[in-house]
Amino acid sequence: MSLGDEQGYTDAGHTRTRLPEGDPYGGAPRRGGRSSSRSLITVVGVVALLVAAIAFANRGDGAPSGGSAGGKENRPKTSPTAASGSRPVRTRTAGLPSGFPHTREGAESAAANYAVALGSAEMFNKTKRDTILQAVMAPSRVADSETAMDGAYTPSFNQTLGLSKDGSAPTGYTFVSRTSPIGTKVTASNSDTATVEVWCSGLLGLAGEKSTNPVTNGWFTITMKLEWSTDDWKIVAHSQKDGPAPVPGDDKASSSDEMSKVIQEYGGFTYAR
């Protein structure tokens, strides 16, 4: 399904997977094992990084005794999504992080957390979806967003994923829909508006012994236009595009039982810049 500029978070993309022994996800054939060259390269790379890190740590700051090593001119430049040192938000609205700082970094934190909410399994349930939209959208955009999402998350669409019409998973199955931000980038901003791109990885599927929609992963970038409204950053508009996607690795896909267990046991994060 393509939801254009309104949503599109259900597109899991196309990935190459390596299925486990005795995999219950439909019995698809497994790929043959690759040579050990990738593992060797990985080990060599890790060793090289460790050696470099130790050398850097032992090098010292190079400043003469009594001199200053903290001058801004000597500090390395940070990456676009380096930590700012600010604490994550401590308040929540409808269970979601809220009260982001009225700063550029605050807009990035808001966009990352909103990407997680909009890509969650709760979006497939009408009541929970409306609660999320009321928490993350600008007040003037809530009604239009609810209408657009209702047209996307239809009962028939839920059924194509193996869910019931109300978005719940069948007994014995675990529905997975998670979005994990990898990084953020501000492409435009002023005192009260910001456009933020959030690069994400996502999981989507139904874990269960006879599932015809096994959990797969995808990569996508969400662009959000935010405005400062009601003392917080809120979404005015958002869109999504595929990628950038890394080269798939040789990880063996987990069984349905393993996937169900990990989804139930591992919680998510509050993202801060």
Side-chain angles (χ1 to χ4, degrees), residues 166-225:
D166 66 0
S168 59
T171 302
Y173 291 81
T174 300
F175 179 56
V176 182
S177 181
R178 284 197 181 186
T179 293
S180 299
I182 306 300
T184 59
K185 179 178 69 174
V186 175
T187 58
S189 67
N190 58 39
S191 60
D192 290 326
T193 65
T195 300
V196 184
E197 294 183 359
V198 187
W199 181 34
C200 303
S201 176
L203 300 175
L204 181 69
L206 193 64
E209 289 188 2
K210 296 181 180 180
S211 173
T212 57
N213 295 292
V215 180
T216 58
N217 72 297
W219 293 84
F220 46 91
T221 300
I222 303 169
T223 299
M224 295 187 191
K225 293 183 179 180

Side-chain angles (χ1 to χ4, degrees), residues 10-56:
T10 57
D11 182 6
H14 301 282
T15 58
R16 183 180 60 180
T17 59
R18 180 179 172 191
L19 298 175
E21 299 293 336
D23 178 74
Y25 283 87
R30 299 187 302 276
R31 290 208 325 259
R34 281 192 179 183
S35 67
S36 60
S37 60
R38 183 184 294 273
S39 297
L40 177 60
I41 292 173
T42 300
V43 171
V44 172
V46 170
V47 172
L49 287 173
L50 287 173
V51 171
I54 293 172
F56 181 81

Side-chain angles (χ1 to χ4, degrees), residues 88-107:
V89 295
R90 296 185 179 276
T91 57
R92 287 181 175 268
T93 300
L96 302 176
S98 62
F100 298 96
H102 191 183
T103 62
R104 180 187 180 99
E105 289 80 7

